[in-house]
Amino acid sequence: MEKGRYAAVVLSAGRGSRMNASVPKQYLMLKGRPIIYYALQTFQQSRVEEIVLVSGQEDLDYCQKEIVEKYGFTKVKAIVPGGKERYHSVFHGLAELDRLGKSPDYVMIHDGARPFVDQQMIDRCVRAVEAEQACVVGMPVKDTIKITDEDQYAVDTPPRNRVWQVQTPQVFSFPLIYQAYQELLRQESEGKKIAVTDDAMVVETICDKKVRLVEGSYKNIKITTPEDLEIAEIFLYHSVRNI
């Protein structure tokens, strides 16, 4: 039986410079609705009980009025400003969940620019995190991967069946991930530099904890470039047709 209270931190603070657009990529329109709408709608309809949306400081009012209120996202309990780096933004979201009252048992951390998270993916994460305390969605790579040196010469070719492209949501026991981020920020305040690129890496580095990989979807893309937006429109068109 599934157990525990779930929350989500949805990240919407990036500026998306590679999109070459005048507005952040997560607010660009995809079939008439902001990109971030689709992820929030999925979490709104899921077992998640509360959502913290992390946006840019200048976008707080826009998110409240044009996204949360306009589309009736009642599970969004707070909108908080992000930080300098992604990991700062995640920490702001986790800290806000802690301040909201009773902390959740588990938290799903998701990029707002990934509109194709779905309920099946969330269900797989629920089963994995309740067994393992830490999991991330991803998919095995399709292409051969080369590791290069500083001069762009290939120096290694890892076995393709051992290489995954990591996605979000990344899902953790709330005490585990919150304490890991607190320790990361404490070490940073003391001048120690720890290079982390995703939430799983924080847990792996700070807690020496293994993180389970869970099947996501090749459609679960992060919209970063204009080409990604074109692909997303195709995915959405066919998903609507098949309903």
Side-chain angles (χ1 to χ4, degrees), residues 62-152:
Y62 172 84
C63 286
Q64 181 63 44
K65 295 175 183 176
E66 298 300 321
I67 295 177
V68 175
E69 294 178 8
K70 181 175 181 178
Y71 296 108
F73 291 131
T74 57
K75 290 185 179 180
V76 176
K77 305 301 183 183
I79 306 172
V80 299
K84 181 180 178 181
E85 302 292 343
R86 181 188 185 277
Y87 64 90
H88 296 122
S89 295
V90 173
F91 179 72
H92 291 180
L94 296 173
E96 184 64 21
L97 279 175
D98 190 52
R99 283 192 292 266
L100 284 174
K102 182 181 178 182
S103 297
D105 299 297
Y106 304 99
V107 60
M108 301 187 174
I109 303 170
H110 187 67
D111 294 324
R114 290 188 189 271
F116 298 110
V117 57
D118 59 34
Q119 299 299 335
Q120 292 75 27
M121 210 178 298
I122 289 174
D123 289 344
R124 290 194 291 272
C125 287
V126 166
R127 290 192 292 271
V129 77
E130 291 184 359
E132 308 275 356
Q133 300 297 301
C135 70
V136 302
V137 300
M139 293 297 289
V141 299
K142 298 179 180 180
D143 300 317
T144 295
I145 302 298
K146 295 287 185 181
I147 308 299
T148 70
D149 61 18
E150 294 179 355
D151 298 317
Q152 307 304 306

Coordinates of all heavy atoms in Angstrom, one line a residue, residues 62-152:
Y62 N 3.4 37.6 -11.9 CA 2.9 36.9 -13.1 C 2.5 35.5 -12.8 O 1.4 35.0 -13.3 CB 4.0 36.9 -14.2 CG 3.6 36.1 -15.4 CD1 2.8 36.6 -16.5 CD2 4.1 34.8 -15.6 CE1 2.5 35.9 -17.6 CE2 3.7 34.0 -16.7 CZ 3.0 34.6 -17.7 OH 2.6 33.8 -18.8
C63 N 3.3 34.7 -12.1 CA 3.0 33.3 -11.8 C 1.7 33.2 -11.0 O 0.9 32.3 -11.2 CB 4.1 32.7 -11.1 SG 5.6 32.3 -12.1
Q64 N 1.5 34.1 -10.0 CA 0.4 34.1 -9.2 C -0.9 34.3 -10.0 O -1.9 33.6 -9.9 CB 0.5 35.1 -8.0 CG -0.7 35.1 -7.1 CD -0.9 33.9 -6.3 OE1 0.1 33.3 -5.8 NE2 -2.1 33.4 -6.2
K65 N -0.9 35.4 -10.8 CA -2.1 35.8 -11.5 C -2.4 35.1 -12.8 O -3.5 34.7 -13.0 CB -2.0 37.3 -11.7 CG -2.0 38.2 -10.5 CD -1.8 39.7 -10.8 CE -1.7 40.5 -9.5 NZ -1.4 41.9 -9.8
E66 N -1.3 34.9 -13.6 CA -1.5 34.4 -14.9 C -1.3 32.9 -15.0 O -1.7 32.3 -16.1 CB -0.5 35.1 -15.9 CG -0.7 36.6 -16.0 CD -2.1 36.9 -16.5 OE1 -2.7 36.2 -17.4 OE2 -2.7 37.9 -16.0
I67 N -0.9 32.2 -14.0 CA -0.7 30.8 -14.0 C -1.5 30.1 -12.9 O -2.5 29.4 -13.1 CB 0.8 30.4 -13.9 CG1 1.5 30.9 -15.2 CG2 0.9 28.9 -13.8 CD1 3.0 30.6 -15.2
V68 N -1.2 30.4 -11.6 CA -1.9 29.8 -10.5 C -3.3 30.1 -10.4 O -4.2 29.2 -10.4 CB -1.1 30.1 -9.2 CG1 -1.9 29.5 -8.0 CG2 0.3 29.6 -9.2
E69 N -3.7 31.4 -10.4 CA -5.1 31.8 -10.3 C -5.8 31.5 -11.6 O -7.0 31.1 -11.6 CB -5.2 33.3 -9.9 CG -4.6 33.6 -8.5 CD -4.7 35.0 -8.2 OE1 -5.3 35.8 -9.0 OE2 -4.1 35.4 -7.1
K70 N -5.2 31.9 -12.7 CA -5.9 31.7 -14.0 C -6.3 30.3 -14.3 O -7.4 30.0 -14.8 CB -5.0 32.2 -15.2 CG -5.6 32.1 -16.5 CD -4.8 32.7 -17.6 CE -5.4 32.7 -19.0 NZ -4.5 33.3 -20.0
Y71 N -5.4 29.3 -13.9 CA -5.7 27.9 -14.3 C -6.2 27.1 -13.0 O -6.4 25.9 -13.2 CB -4.5 27.3 -14.9 CG -4.1 27.9 -16.2 CD1 -3.0 28.7 -16.3 CD2 -4.9 27.7 -17.4 CE1 -2.7 29.3 -17.6 CE2 -4.6 28.3 -18.6 CZ -3.5 29.1 -18.7 OH -3.2 29.7 -19.9
G72 N -6.4 27.7 -11.9 CA -6.9 27.1 -10.8 C -6.0 26.0 -10.1 O -6.5 25.0 -9.7
F73 N -4.8 26.3 -10.0 CA -3.8 25.3 -9.4 C -3.9 25.5 -7.9 O -3.1 26.1 -7.3 CB -2.4 25.5 -9.9 CG -2.3 25.1 -11.4 CD1 -1.6 26.0 -12.3 CD2 -2.7 23.9 -11.9 CE1 -1.5 25.7 -13.6 CE2 -2.6 23.6 -13.2 CZ -2.0 24.4 -14.1
T74 N -4.9 24.8 -7.3 CA -5.1 25.0 -5.9 C -4.1 24.3 -5.0 O -4.0 24.7 -3.8 CB -6.5 24.4 -5.5 OG1 -6.5 23.0 -5.9 CG2 -7.6 25.1 -6.2
K75 N -3.3 23.4 -5.5 CA -2.3 22.8 -4.8 C -1.0 23.6 -4.7 O -0.1 23.3 -3.9 CB -1.9 21.4 -5.3 CG -3.1 20.4 -5.1 CD -2.7 19.0 -5.6 CE -3.8 18.0 -5.4 NZ -3.4 16.6 -5.8
V76 N -0.9 24.7 -5.4 CA 0.3 25.6 -5.3 C 0.0 26.4 -4.1 O -0.8 27.3 -4.0 CB 0.4 26.5 -6.6 CG1 1.6 27.4 -6.3 CG2 0.7 25.6 -7.8
K77 N 0.8 26.1 -3.0 CA 0.6 26.8 -1.7 C 1.5 28.0 -1.5 O 1.3 28.8 -0.6 CB 0.8 25.8 -0.6 CG 0.0 24.5 -0.7 CD -1.5 24.9 -0.7 CE -2.4 23.6 -0.7 NZ -3.8 23.9 -0.8
A78 N 2.6 28.1 -2.4 CA 3.5 29.2 -2.2 C 4.3 29.4 -3.5 O 4.5 28.4 -4.3 CB 4.5 29.0 -1.1
I79 N 4.6 30.6 -3.8 CA 5.5 30.9 -4.9 C 6.7 31.7 -4.3 O 6.5 32.7 -3.7 CB 4.8 31.8 -6.0 CG1 3.5 31.1 -6.5 CG2 5.8 32.0 -7.2 CD1 2.7 32.0 -7.4
V80 N 7.9 31.2 -4.5 CA 9.1 31.8 -3.9 C 10.1 32.1 -4.9 O 10.2 31.5 -6.0 CB 9.7 30.9 -2.8 CG1 8.7 30.7 -1.7 CG2 10.2 29.6 -3.4
P81 N 10.9 33.2 -4.7 CA 12.0 33.5 -5.7 C 13.1 32.5 -5.6 O 13.4 31.9 -4.6 CB 12.5 34.9 -5.2 CG 12.1 34.9 -3.7 CD 10.9 34.1 -3.6
G82 N 13.7 32.3 -6.8 CA 14.8 31.4 -6.9 C 16.1 32.0 -6.5 O 16.1 33.1 -5.9
G83 N 17.2 31.3 -6.7 CA 18.5 31.8 -6.3 C 19.5 31.9 -7.5 O 19.1 31.8 -8.6
K84 N 20.7 32.1 -7.2 CA 21.7 32.3 -8.2 C 21.9 31.1 -9.1 O 21.9 31.2 -10.3 CB 23.1 32.7 -7.6 CG 24.2 33.0 -8.5 CD 25.5 33.3 -7.8 CE 26.6 33.5 -8.8 NZ 27.9 33.9 -8.1
E85 N 22.0 30.0 -8.5 CA 22.1 28.7 -9.2 C 20.9 27.8 -9.0 O 20.1 28.0 -8.1 CB 23.4 28.0 -8.7 CG 24.7 28.8 -8.9 CD 25.1 29.0 -10.3 OE1 24.6 28.3 -11.2 OE2 25.9 29.9 -10.6
R86 N 20.8 26.8 -9.8 CA 19.7 25.9 -9.7 C 19.6 25.3 -8.3 O 18.5 25.2 -7.7 CB 19.8 24.7 -10.7 CG 18.6 23.7 -10.6 CD 18.8 22.5 -11.5 NE 17.7 21.6 -11.5 CZ 17.4 20.7 -10.6 NH1 18.2 20.6 -9.6 NH2 16.3 20.0 -10.8
Y87 N 20.7 24.9 -7.7 CA 20.6 24.3 -6.4 C 20.2 25.3 -5.3 O 19.6 24.8 -4.3 CB 22.0 23.6 -6.0 CG 23.2 24.5 -5.8 CD1 23.5 25.0 -4.6 CD2 24.0 24.7 -6.9 CE1 24.6 25.8 -4.5 CE2 25.1 25.5 -6.8 CZ 25.4 26.0 -5.6 OH 26.6 26.8 -5.4
H88 N 20.5 26.5 -5.5 CA 19.9 27.5 -4.6 C 18.4 27.6 -4.7 O 17.7 27.7 -3.7 CB 20.5 28.9 -4.8 CG 22.0 29.0 -4.6 ND1 22.9 29.4 -5.5 CD2 22.7 28.7 -3.5 CE1 24.1 29.4 -5.1 NE2 24.0 29.0 -3.8
S89 N 17.9 27.5 -5.9 CA 16.4 27.6 -6.1 C 15.8 26.4 -5.5 O 14.7 26.5 -4.9 CB 16.1 27.6 -7.6 OG 16.6 28.9 -8.2
V90 N 16.4 25.2 -5.7 CA 15.8 24.0 -5.0 C 15.8 24.1 -3.5 O 14.7 23.8 -2.9 CB 16.6 22.7 -5.4 CG1 16.1 21.5 -4.6 CG2 16.5 22.5 -6.9
F91 N 16.8 24.6 -3.0 CA 16.8 24.8 -1.5 C 15.8 25.8 -1.0 O 15.1 25.6 0.0 CB 18.2 25.3 -1.0 CG 18.3 25.5 0.5 CD1 18.3 24.5 1.3 CD2 18.3 26.8 1.0 CE1 18.3 24.7 2.7 CE2 18.3 27.1 2.3 CZ 18.3 26.0 3.2
H92 N 15.5 26.9 -1.8 CA 14.5 27.8 -1.4 C 13.1 27.1 -1.4 O 12.3 27.3 -0.5 CB 14.4 29.0 -2.4 CG 15.6 29.9 -2.3 ND1 15.8 31.0 -3.1 CD2 16.7 29.9 -1.5 CE1 16.9 31.6 -2.8 NE2 17.5 30.9 -1.8
G93 N 12.9 26.2 -2.4 CA 11.6 25.5 -2.5 C 11.5 24.5 -1.3 O 10.4 24.4 -0.7
L94 N 12.6 23.8 -1.0 CA 12.5 22.9 0.1 C 12.3 23.6 1.5 O 11.5 23.1 2.3 CB 13.8 22.1 0.2 CG 14.1 21.1 -1.0 CD1 15.5 20.5 -0.8 CD2 13.1 20.0 -1.1
A95 N 13.0 24.7 1.6 CA 12.8 25.5 2.9 C 11.4 26.0 3.0 O 10.9 26.0 4.2 CB 13.8 26.6 2.9
E96 N 10.8 26.4 1.9 CA 9.4 26.9 2.0 C 8.5 25.7 2.4 O 7.5 25.9 3.2 CB 9.0 27.5 0.7 CG 7.6 28.1 0.6 CD 7.5 29.3 1.6 OE1 8.5 29.9 2.0 OE2 6.3 29.6 2.0
L97 N 8.7 24.6 1.8 CA 7.9 23.4 2.3 C 8.0 23.2 3.8 O 7.0 22.9 4.4 CB 8.3 22.1 1.5 CG 7.8 22.0 0.1 CD1 8.4 20.7 -0.5 CD2 6.3 21.8 0.1
D98 N 9.2 23.3 4.3 CA 9.4 23.1 5.7 C 8.7 24.2 6.5 O 8.1 23.9 7.6 CB 10.9 23.2 6.0 CG 11.2 22.7 7.4 OD1 10.8 21.6 7.8 OD2 11.9 23.5 8.1
R99 N 8.6 25.4 6.0 CA 7.9 26.5 6.7 C 6.4 26.4 6.6 O 5.7 27.0 7.4 CB 8.4 27.9 6.1 CG 9.7 28.3 6.6 CD 10.0 29.7 6.2 NE 10.1 29.9 4.8 CZ 11.2 29.9 4.1 NH1 12.4 29.7 4.7 NH2 11.2 30.1 2.8
L100 N 5.9 25.7 5.6 CA 4.4 25.7 5.4 C 3.7 24.9 6.5 O 2.5 25.1 6.7 CB 4.1 25.0 4.1 CG 4.3 25.8 2.8 CD1 4.1 25.0 1.6 CD2 3.4 27.1 2.8
G101 N 4.4 24.2 7.3 CA 3.7 23.4 8.4 C 4.3 22.1 8.5 O 5.5 21.9 8.6
K102 N 3.5 21.1 8.5 CA 3.9 19.7 8.6 C 4.7 19.3 7.3 O 4.2 19.4 6.2 CB 2.7 18.7 8.8 CG 3.1 17.3 8.9 CD 1.9 16.4 9.1 CE 2.4 14.9 9.2 NZ 1.2 14.0 9.2
S103 N 5.9 19.0 7.5 CA 6.8 18.6 6.3 C 6.3 17.4 5.7 O 5.8 16.5 6.3 CB 8.2 18.5 6.8 OG 8.8 19.6 7.3
P104 N 6.4 17.3 4.3 CA 6.0 16.1 3.6 C 6.9 14.9 3.9 O 8.1 15.1 4.4 CB 6.1 16.5 2.2 CG 7.1 17.5 2.1 CD 6.9 18.3 3.4
D105 N 6.5 13.7 3.7 CA 7.4 12.6 3.8 C 8.3 12.5 2.6 O 9.5 12.1 2.7 CB 6.6 11.3 3.9 CG 5.7 11.3 5.1 OD1 6.2 11.4 6.3 OD2 4.5 11.3 5.0
Y106 N 7.8 12.9 1.4 CA 8.6 12.8 0.2 C 8.3 14.0 -0.7 O 7.3 14.6 -0.6 CB 8.1 11.5 -0.6 CG 8.2 10.2 0.1 CD1 7.1 9.7 0.7 CD2 9.4 9.6 0.2 CE1 7.2 8.5 1.4 CE2 9.5 8.4 0.9 CZ 8.4 7.8 1.5 OH 8.5 6.7 2.2
V107 N 9.3 14.4 -1.5 CA 9.2 15.5 -2.3 C 9.7 15.2 -3.7 O 10.7 14.5 -3.9 CB 10.0 16.7 -1.7 CG1 11.5 16.4 -1.6 CG2 9.8 18.0 -2.6
M108 N 8.9 15.7 -4.7 CA 9.3 15.5 -6.1 C 9.8 16.9 -6.6 O 9.1 17.9 -6.5 CB 8.0 15.1 -6.9 CG 7.4 13.8 -6.4 SD 6.1 13.2 -7.5 CE 5.8 11.6 -6.8
I109 N 11.0 16.9 -7.1 CA 11.6 18.1 -7.6 C 11.6 18.0 -9.2 O 12.1 17.1 -9.8 CB 13.1 18.2 -7.1 CG1 13.1 18.2 -5.6 CG2 13.7 19.5 -7.6 CD1 14.4 18.1 -5.0
H110 N 11.0 19.0 -9.8 CA 10.8 18.9 -11.2 C 11.1 20.2 -11.9 O 10.8 21.3 -11.4 CB 9.3 18.5 -11.5 CG 9.0 18.2 -12.9 ND1 9.5 17.2 -13.6 CD2 8.2 18.9 -13.8 CE1 9.1 17.2 -14.8 NE2 8.3 18.2 -15.0
D111 N 11.6 20.1 -13.1 CA 11.9 21.3 -14.0 C 10.6 21.7 -14.6 O 10.0 20.9 -15.4 CB 12.9 21.0 -15.0 CG 14.3 20.7 -14.4 OD1 14.6 21.3 -13.4 OD2 15.0 19.8 -15.0
G112 N 10.2 23.0 -14.5 CA 9.0 23.5 -15.1 C 9.0 23.5 -16.6 O 8.0 23.5 -17.2
A113 N 10.2 23.4 -17.2 CA 10.3 23.3 -18.6 C 10.2 21.9 -19.2 O 10.5 21.7 -20.4 CB 11.7 23.9 -19.1
R114 N 9.8 20.9 -18.4 CA 9.5 19.6 -18.8 C 8.0 19.4 -18.7 O 7.5 19.0 -17.7 CB 10.3 18.5 -18.0 CG 11.8 18.5 -18.1 CD 12.4 17.3 -17.4 NE 13.8 17.4 -17.4 CZ 14.6 16.9 -18.3 NH1 14.1 16.2 -19.3 NH2 15.9 17.0 -18.2
P115 N 7.3 19.6 -19.8 CA 5.9 19.5 -19.8 C 5.3 18.1 -19.9 O 4.1 17.9 -19.6 CB 5.4 20.3 -21.0 CG 6.6 20.2 -22.0 CD 7.8 20.1 -21.1
F116 N 6.1 17.1 -20.1 CA 5.5 15.8 -20.4 C 5.7 14.8 -19.3 O 5.5 13.6 -19.5 CB 6.1 15.2 -21.7 CG 5.7 16.1 -22.9 CD1 6.7 16.9 -23.6 CD2 4.4 16.2 -23.3 CE1 6.4 17.7 -24.6 CE2 4.1 17.1 -24.4 CZ 5.0 17.8 -25.0
V117 N 5.9 15.2 -18.1 CA 5.8 14.3 -16.9 C 4.3 13.8 -16.9 O 3.4 14.5 -17.2 CB 6.1 15.0 -15.6 CG1 5.3 16.3 -15.4 CG2 6.1 14.1 -14.4
D118 N 4.1 12.5 -16.5 CA 2.8 12.0 -16.5 C 2.5 11.1 -15.3 O 3.5 10.9 -14.5 CB 2.5 11.2 -17.8 CG 3.4 10.0 -18.0 OD1 3.9 9.4 -17.0 OD2 3.8 9.7 -19.2
Q119 N 1.3 10.7 -15.1 CA 0.9 10.0 -13.9 C 1.6 8.6 -13.8 O 2.0 8.2 -12.6 CB -0.6 9.8 -13.8 CG -1.4 11.1 -13.8 CD -1.1 12.0 -12.6 OE1 -0.7 11.5 -11.5 NE2 -1.3 13.3 -12.7
Q120 N 1.9 8.0 -14.9 CA 2.5 6.7 -14.8 C 4.0 6.8 -14.3 O 4.5 6.0 -13.5 CB 2.5 6.0 -16.2 CG 1.2 5.6 -16.7 CD 0.3 6.7 -17.1 OE1 0.8 7.8 -17.6 NE2 -1.0 6.5 -17.1
M121 N 4.6 7.9 -14.8 CA 6.0 8.2 -14.3 C 6.0 8.5 -12.8 O 6.9 8.0 -12.1 CB 6.5 9.4 -15.1 CG 8.0 9.5 -15.3 SD 8.4 11.0 -16.3 CE 7.5 10.6 -17.8
I122 N 5.0 9.3 -12.4 CA 4.9 9.6 -10.9 C 4.7 8.3 -10.1 O 5.3 8.1 -9.1 CB 3.8 10.6 -10.7 CG1 4.3 12.0 -11.2 CG2 3.4 10.7 -9.2 CD1 3.2 13.1 -11.2
D123 N 3.8 7.4 -10.6 CA 3.5 6.2 -9.9 C 4.8 5.3 -9.8 O 5.0 4.7 -8.7 CB 2.5 5.4 -10.6 CG 1.1 6.0 -10.5 OD1 0.9 6.9 -9.6 OD2 0.2 5.7 -11.3
R124 N 5.6 5.3 -10.8 CA 6.9 4.5 -10.8 C 7.8 5.1 -9.7 O 8.5 4.4 -9.0 CB 7.5 4.5 -12.1 CG 6.8 3.6 -13.1 CD 7.6 3.3 -14.4 NE 7.9 4.4 -15.2 CZ 7.1 4.8 -16.2 NH1 5.9 4.2 -16.4 NH2 7.4 5.9 -17.0
C125 N 7.8 6.4 -9.7 CA 8.7 7.1 -8.7 C 8.2 6.8 -7.2 O 9.0 6.6 -6.3 CB 8.7 8.6 -8.9 SG 9.6 9.2 -10.3
V126 N 6.9 6.8 -7.0 CA 6.3 6.5 -5.7 C 6.8 5.2 -5.2 O 7.2 5.0 -4.1 CB 4.8 6.7 -5.7 CG1 4.2 6.0 -4.5 CG2 4.3 8.1 -5.9
R127 N 6.6 4.2 -6.1 CA 7.0 2.8 -5.7 C 8.5 2.8 -5.4 O 8.9 2.1 -4.4 CB 6.7 1.8 -6.8 CG 5.2 1.6 -7.0 CD 4.9 0.4 -7.9 NE 5.3 0.7 -9.3 CZ 4.5 1.2 -10.2 NH1 3.3 1.6 -9.9 NH2 4.9 1.4 -11.4
A128 N 9.3 3.4 -6.2 CA 10.8 3.4 -6.0 C 11.2 4.2 -4.7 O 12.0 3.7 -3.9 CB 11.5 3.9 -7.2
V129 N 10.7 5.4 -4.5 CA 11.2 6.2 -3.4 C 10.8 5.6 -2.1 O 11.5 5.7 -1.1 CB 10.7 7.6 -3.6 CG1 9.2 7.8 -3.2 CG2 11.6 8.6 -2.7
E130 N 9.6 4.9 -2.0 CA 9.2 4.4 -0.8 C 10.0 3.1 -0.4 O 10.1 2.7 0.8 CB 7.7 4.1 -0.8 CG 6.9 5.4 -0.8 CD 5.3 5.2 -0.8 OE1 4.9 4.0 -0.7 OE2 4.6 6.2 -0.8
A131 N 10.6 2.6 -1.4 CA 11.5 1.4 -1.2 C 13.0 1.8 -1.0 O 13.7 1.2 -0.2 CB 11.4 0.4 -2.3
E132 N 13.4 2.9 -1.7 CA 14.8 3.2 -1.7 C 15.2 4.6 -1.1 O 16.3 4.9 -0.9 CB 15.2 3.3 -3.2 CG 14.9 2.0 -4.0 CD 15.9 0.9 -3.8 OE1 16.9 1.2 -3.2 OE2 15.7 -0.2 -4.4
Q133 N 14.2 5.5 -0.9 CA 14.4 6.8 -0.3 C 14.9 7.8 -1.3 O 14.9 9.0 -1.0 CB 15.3 6.8 0.9 CG 14.8 5.9 2.0 CD 13.5 6.4 2.6 OE1 13.5 7.5 3.1 NE2 12.5 5.6 2.6
A134 N 15.4 7.4 -2.5 CA 15.9 8.3 -3.4 C 15.8 7.7 -4.8 O 16.3 6.6 -5.0 CB 17.4 8.7 -3.1
C135 N 15.2 8.4 -5.8 CA 15.1 8.0 -7.1 C 15.0 9.1 -8.1 O 14.6 10.2 -7.7 CB 14.0 7.0 -7.3 SG 12.3 7.8 -7.3
V136 N 15.4 8.9 -9.3 CA 15.3 9.9 -10.4 C 14.8 9.2 -11.6 O 15.1 8.0 -11.9 CB 16.6 10.6 -10.7 CG1 17.2 11.3 -9.4 CG2 17.7 9.7 -11.2
V137 N 14.1 9.9 -12.5 CA 13.7 9.3 -13.7 C 14.7 9.6 -14.8 O 15.5 10.6 -14.7 CB 12.3 9.8 -14.2 CG1 11.2 9.5 -13.2 CG2 12.3 11.3 -14.5
G138 N 14.8 8.7 -15.8 CA 15.7 8.9 -16.9 C 15.5 7.8 -17.9 O 14.6 7.0 -17.7
M139 N 16.3 7.8 -18.9 CA 16.2 6.8 -20.0 C 17.6 6.4 -20.5 O 18.5 7.3 -20.5 CB 15.4 7.3 -21.1 CG 13.9 7.6 -20.8 SD 13.0 6.1 -20.3 CE 12.9 5.2 -21.9
P140 N 17.8 5.1 -20.9 CA 19.1 4.8 -21.4 C 19.3 5.6 -22.7 O 18.4 5.9 -23.5 CB 18.9 3.3 -21.8 CG 17.7 2.8 -20.9 CD 16.8 4.0 -20.7
V141 N 20.6 6.0 -22.9 CA 20.9 6.7 -24.1 C 20.8 5.9 -25.3 O 20.9 4.7 -25.3 CB 22.3 7.3 -24.0 CG1 22.5 8.3 -22.8 CG2 23.4 6.2 -24.0
K142 N 20.5 6.5 -26.4 CA 20.3 5.8 -27.7 C 21.6 5.8 -28.5 O 21.9 5.0 -29.3 CB 19.2 6.4 -28.6 CG 17.8 6.4 -27.9 CD 16.8 7.0 -28.8 CE 15.4 7.0 -28.3 NZ 14.4 7.6 -29.1
D143 N 22.4 6.9 -28.3 CA 23.7 7.0 -29.0 C 24.9 6.6 -28.2 O 24.9 6.5 -27.0 CB 23.9 8.5 -29.4 CG 22.7 9.1 -30.2 OD1 22.3 8.4 -31.1 OD2 22.3 10.2 -29.9
T144 N 25.9 6.2 -28.9 CA 27.2 6.0 -28.3 C 27.8 7.3 -27.7 O 27.7 8.3 -28.3 CB 28.2 5.4 -29.3 OG1 27.7 4.1 -29.8 CG2 29.6 5.2 -28.7
I145 N 28.3 7.2 -26.5 CA 28.8 8.4 -25.8 C 30.3 8.3 -25.8 O 30.9 7.2 -25.5 CB 28.3 8.4 -24.3 CG1 26.7 8.5 -24.4 CG2 28.8 9.6 -23.6 CD1 26.1 9.7 -25.0
K146 N 31.0 9.4 -26.1 CA 32.4 9.5 -26.0 C 32.8 10.5 -24.9 O 32.2 11.6 -24.8 CB 33.0 10.0 -27.3 CG 32.8 9.1 -28.5 CD 33.7 7.9 -28.4 CE 33.6 7.0 -29.7 NZ 34.4 5.8 -29.6
I147 N 33.8 10.1 -24.1 CA 34.4 11.0 -23.1 C 35.6 11.6 -23.8 O 36.5 10.9 -24.3 CB 34.8 10.3 -21.8 CG1 33.6 9.5 -21.3 CG2 35.3 11.2 -20.8 CD1 32.4 10.3 -20.9
T148 N 35.8 13.0 -23.7 CA 36.9 13.6 -24.4 C 37.8 14.2 -23.4 O 37.5 14.4 -22.2 CB 36.4 14.7 -25.3 OG1 35.9 15.8 -24.5 CG2 35.3 14.2 -26.2
D149 N 39.0 14.5 -23.9 CA 40.0 15.3 -23.1 C 39.7 16.8 -23.4 O 38.8 17.2 -24.1 CB 41.4 14.9 -23.4 CG 41.8 15.1 -24.8 OD1 41.1 15.9 -25.5 OD2 42.8 14.5 -25.2
E150 N 40.6 17.7 -22.8 CA 40.4 19.1 -23.0 C 40.5 19.6 -24.4 O 40.0 20.6 -24.8 CB 41.4 19.9 -22.1 CG 41.1 19.7 -20.6 CD 42.1 20.4 -19.7 OE1 43.0 21.0 -20.3 OE2 41.9 20.4 -18.5
D151 N 41.2 18.8 -25.2 CA 41.4 19.1 -26.6 C 40.4 18.5 -27.6 O 40.6 18.5 -28.8 CB 42.8 18.8 -27.1 CG 43.9 19.5 -26.3 OD1 43.7 20.7 -26.1 OD2 44.8 18.9 -25.8
Q152 N 39.3 17.9 -27.0 CA 38.2 17.3 -27.8 C 38.7 16.0 -28.5 O 38.1 15.7 -29.6 CB 37.6 18.3 -28.8 CG 37.2 19.6 -28.2 CD 36.2 19.4 -27.0 OE1 35.2 18.8 -27.2 NE2 36.5 19.9 -25.8

